[in-house]
Structures are given as C-alpha cells and as structure tokens.
Amino acid sequence: MSSQAMKTIPKRKTREEILELSAPLFAQRGYDGVSMRDVARAAGLTQAALYYHFADKDQLYLEAVAVQFRERGAVLNELLAGGGTPLKRLERFVTGLARMMATDKDFLRLMQWVLLDNDEVRQSTLAKQVFRDMFVAVHDLASELDPHQDAHLLAMSIFGLVIFHFQTGATRKFMPGHRPHQDNPEVLARHVCELLRRSLAAADGEVQ
Amino acid sequence: MSSQAMKTIPKRKTREEILELSAPLFAQRGYDGVSMRDVARAAGLTQAALYYHFADKDQLYLEAVAVQFRERGAVLNELLAGGGTPLKRLERFVTGLARMMATDKDFLRLMQWVLLDNDEVRQSTLAKQVFRDMFVAVHDLASELDPHQDAHLLAMSIFGLVIFHFQTGATRKFMPGHRPHQDNPEVLARHVCELLRRSLAAADGEVQ
DNA sequence: GTCTATATAAGGATAGAC
DNA sequence: GTCTATCCTTATATAGAC
C-alpha cells in the first residue's frame, strides 16, 4: 500500500490523537482518576510511547484540556459575535450554551475539574486562555443589557444560571418537582431568558 | 490524672475525630487525591488503625462527607424555617448561603467533588440525605414566590446564582470588571436578591 | 516512534503482637 | 484500639532494543 493510497484515511498525527482520545477520560475521572496506562490503552499505544510525545502526565493533561477549551470557546464566541439587539444576543448565547452543556457532557465535566484544580498556574493559564475571551464578550453584553448594574456580577450570573443547572444534572433527578423535560436545553434556556428579561425590564423601569 | 479531670478536655471518640480531620483533606484534593496514609497522618494514627474504624476508604470518605453535609444542611434549613414574607425569607436564605460559601470553602469544594462523583450510589445517597431536604424547602419557597413558574427550575436557579459565583472564585480574579468587593458575600447576596426581586415583580405584572 | 523490560515509589489493605 | 511489618497492586517514569 503506497502512501498515496493512505490518503483516503487521513492519518492524524499521533500526538493530536492522544490529546483527543484522552480528553474524555480526564473529563470522566479527572487527573488523578486516569493513569497513563488508561491513556495508552485508549490511544492504542504502550505507556512508554506517551513519553515520547509528552514530558509527563501533567503536560499531557494540560494540553488535552486546553485543546477542548479552545474548540468550545471558539463556538461560544461565535454565538456572541453576531448582530441583533442585546436581548436577542443574550437569547442566542444562553440557548447555545445550554445546548452545548446538554450535548457535550465531557466538556462540562472538564470545566468542573478545572474549577477544582489546586494548581494555581494551571488554573490561571486555562482561565486566561479560554474563559477570559468568552467572559469578556458576555461582560460587554451585560453592560449593554443594563449599564447601571455591575456587569461583572451580571455576566457571572448569566453563566451560573445555565451551567449550574447541568452541573447538578445527575443529582437533580432526586429532587422534588423534577420532570424529564427540564433536562431539555431549550426549556432551561427559555426559563433563564425569561428570568433575565423580566429582571432587566424591571430594572429599566426603576430609573436611577 | 483521673478520668474526672479529663472532662475539662472532652475527649471525642476517635472515629468522629477521623471523620472531622479527614474532611478538609477530601475537600481540598478529592477522593483520589487523598491516601489513607494522608488521613492517618492528619489523625495522628497509623494507617492500620483506620481500618479498625472503617471497612475501607470508600466508607470513610462517604461518612466524612455525609457528616459535613448534615451539619451545613441543618444550618441552611434553619434559615428557611423562620417566618416573614416569601421575599424576606428568600433574602435571608440567599444571604446565609452566600455567607456559608464564602466562609466555608471546604464545604463548597466537597459539594463540587460530590457533583463530579461517578458512583451513582454514593451520589444518590448524599443527594437524598442532604441536598433533598434543603431543596424541598427552597422549592416550596419558589412556589410561594411565583406560583405560575416552574418551582423546580426557579429553585435551582436560586442555588445556581449564589453557588456558581463562589465555584469560580479562584478563576474570577482573572476576569474583566473584577473588583475585590465582589468577593464579599453581602455584595453578591444583594446582587442576587435584586435580580430575583425584579424578575418576580415583573412576572407579577404580566398576569397569566 | 514505538516496543519490552524494569526501576522506584505510592497506593489499599491485612496479619498478628501488644 | 493501636502498633509494626508486610503483601500485593498500581502508579509514574526511564533505559535501551528495534
């Protein structure tokens, strides 16, 4: 088989493949919960081979997470880039974020692991690399939605309203008033948008 | 020294002491991040002694977490038990929860670990044992605040607005618009209460 | 680039003395 | 109830052949 024929199955670089295949493992069980053996098995390699591509487990983990965050961050930033009234853009972002959290469970979990990370360097690196861009956009949107409020707090509240709901996903099932349709991202997005729309409308009425 | 004289320093049962001393460890580094050796050191015992009190690491962890959750759960339930208008009770609860999250970082982290737990049994046990009581009370409050809304979603949003803010604590420092006073639980509580108050007032205006 | 083999440490858990 | 000593497994990481 010539290298020409191989082109039909595009052979990704092993390094990238390792990062892509290890991400779900880290998402599911966290840094301490995943061994280099696990990663090697998932990648169809031996443990030793991993050390050709990465200096140590720390670096592998950090890069795997960073890739996931960059990918998802780009998607979310597109939601905010489009035009429309601030309220329309809010709806678009909230709905998109809710859909992502519902679809991409692994990403949600990765985010939770990062938030629990004790390593200050790792955390600030990821925070700046990824969260920041996204937060800046929502922060700006927040100031447009209500120039009189603390945009930082409002932006964080927008994230929290969506994300916390999915963080509690597995636990929520055991709580009163739970019905399956609440797991639908569209339903949650509507709830959050309504809550925020009402609040902002009322704030607009209470002139400073 | 007679056992009478010892009474001035009330000697807690070793078992309880282990649970109390291991909780901060599990909060900081999670189940996988803490070894039985670590726990033993913290408790001033050898590893082997732990196995006299607990069948295995799993049981020790589960009980340590449960204790913390019961203690904090009781505090939060008291906030909700008192009288006053629904809005007043909401304010009391939100403020109390914010204060707890700001003060008791370990508890916040324990909660985050539990939310990431893969063990369905462990998660549902804790969910039912602790979250549930607390959630029921907030759920009822939510139906009082606005009988026309989905109380389950509204209750979850109330939790999310407060808790997410502190979950992101370490990361938030790197985000635009951050100012130190936003870390003050009173400031956050005011923000959340205002946001909800406005939303509920507006919902009241839009008669169904 | 990937393998086999191995060094070295750390992990959970138990046996048996006291 | 707690200790010492130890077993066995799993972990990260490296050396050196191919």
Side-chain angles (χ1 to χ4, degrees):
Chain A
M1 205 191 292
S2 75
S3 76
Q4 288 281 20
M6 289 293 287
K7 276 197 176 164
T8 44
I9 300 162
K11 180 141 189 280
R12 262 189 303 174
K13 285 208 167 69
T14 307
R15 191 187 155 83
E16 289 168 31
E17 215 163 46
I18 294 168
L19 292 176
E20 208 58 50
L21 291 167
S22 63
L25 299 183
F26 287 125
Q28 208 53 41
R29 314 168 45 86
Y31 181 87
D32 288 325
V34 176
S35 69
M36 292 299 264
R37 283 174 169 80
D38 295 332
V39 175
R41 197 179 312 123
L45 294 169
T46 60
Q47 229 189 116
L50 298 177
Y51 286 90
Y52 172 81
H53 297 280
F54 303 94
D56 53 25
K57 186 183 174 183
D58 243 72
Q59 198 194 92
L60 198 164
Y61 171 75
L62 185 58
E63 286 198 40
V65 174
V67 166
Q68 297 301 311
F69 272 64
R70 266 197 295 275
E71 287 175 5
R72 303 307 184 289
V75 174
L76 290 177
N77 270 326
E78 270 179 41
L79 291 171
L80 289 156
T85 65
L87 209 62
K88 272 289 168 207
R89 281 189 292 147
L90 174 69
E91 277 176 29
R92 204 165 57 219
F93 177 74
V94 166
T95 308
L97 181 62
R99 277 184 194 145
M100 181 183 286
M101 293 297 146
T103 310
D104 212 336
K105 297 270 168 58
D106 281 348
F107 178 58
L108 171 61
R109 287 183 69 95
L110 268 189
M111 208 182 72
Q112 292 181 265
W113 289 114
V114 170
L115 288 176
L116 273 166
D117 201 332
N118 278 313
D119 189 319
E120 285 237 359
V121 178
R122 245 182 350 218
Q123 210 181 41
S124 85
T125 303
L126 285 171
K128 285 176 200 155
Q129 258 186 18
V130 181
F131 283 146
R132 202 166 199 291
D133 278 359
M134 204 183 317
F135 190 86
V136 170
V138 178
H139 181 270
D140 291 350
L141 176 57
S143 0
E144 283 189 73
L145 284 165
D146 184 352
H148 301 99
Q149 269 190 66
D150 183 327
H152 179 88
L153 288 180
L154 183 52
M156 203 53 83
S157 293
I158 293 170
F159 279 106
L161 280 168
V162 178
I163 295 175
F164 188 77
H165 181 90
F166 292 99
Q167 281 186 1
T168 57
T171 305
R172 249 189 29 251
K173 289 202 295 280
F174 307 107
M175 299 299 147
H178 171 73
R179 276 165 297 158
H181 81 281
Q182 289 151 349
D183 299 335
N184 185 330
E186 320 291 335
V187 170
L188 175 74
R190 206 149 39 230
H191 164 78
V192 170
C193 286
E194 277 301 278
L195 194 156
L196 288 169
R197 189 184 58 71
R198 284 174 178 145
S199 187
L200 294 164
D204 207 38
E206 304 171 9
V207 192
Q208 266 79 351
Chain B
M1 206 193 292
S2 76
S3 75
Q4 289 281 22
M6 290 292 290
K7 275 196 177 165
T8 43
I9 300 163
K11 179 136 190 284
R12 260 188 304 172
K13 285 208 165 68
T14 307
R15 190 185 156 85
E16 290 167 30
E17 215 162 44
I18 294 169
L19 292 176
E20 208 57 51
L21 292 166
S22 63
L25 299 183
F26 287 125
Q28 208 53 42
R29 313 167 45 88
Y31 180 87
D32 288 326
V34 177
S35 69
M36 292 298 267
R37 285 169 170 83
D38 293 334
V39 175
R41 196 179 313 123
L45 294 170
T46 59
Q47 225 191 111
L50 298 178
Y51 287 89
Y52 173 80
H53 297 282
F54 304 93
D56 53 24
K57 186 184 175 183
D58 243 72
Q59 197 194 92
L60 197 165
Y61 171 76
L62 185 58
E63 284 197 41
V65 174
V67 166
Q68 297 300 312
F69 273 62
R70 265 197 296 275
E71 287 175 7
R72 303 308 184 290
V75 173
L76 290 176
N77 271 325
E78 269 178 41
L79 291 170
L80 288 156
T85 65
L87 208 61
K88 272 288 169 209
R89 283 189 290 148
L90 174 69
E91 277 177 27
R92 204 166 57 219
F93 176 74
V94 166
T95 308
L97 181 61
R99 277 186 193 141
M100 180 181 287
M101 293 296 145
T103 310
D104 210 337
K105 296 269 168 58
D106 280 349
F107 178 58
L108 172 61
R109 287 183 69 95
L110 268 189
M111 209 182 70
Q112 293 181 265
W113 288 115
V114 170
L115 288 177
L116 272 167
D117 201 332
N118 278 313
D119 190 318
E120 285 239 358
V121 177
R122 243 179 355 216
Q123 210 181 41
S124 86
T125 303
L126 285 171
K128 285 177 200 153
Q129 256 185 17
V130 182
F131 283 146
R132 202 166 198 291
D133 277 359
M134 204 184 318
F135 190 86
V136 170
V138 178
H139 180 270
D140 292 349
L141 175 57
S143 359
E144 283 190 72
L145 283 164
D146 183 352
H148 302 100
Q149 269 190 66
D150 183 326
H152 179 89
L153 288 180
L154 183 53
M156 202 54 82
S157 293
I158 293 170
F159 279 106
L161 280 168
V162 177
I163 294 175
F164 188 77
H165 182 90
F166 292 99
Q167 280 185 2
T168 57
T171 304
R172 247 189 32 250
K173 287 202 297 282
F174 307 107
M175 300 298 147
H178 171 73
R179 278 165 295 160
H181 82 281
Q182 288 152 349
D183 299 334
N184 185 330
E186 319 291 334
V187 171
L188 176 75
R190 207 150 39 231
H191 165 79
V192 170
C193 287
E194 276 301 278
L195 195 156
L196 288 169
R197 189 185 56 72
R198 284 175 179 145
S199 188
L200 293 164
D204 208 38
E206 304 171 9
V207 192
Q208 266 76 353

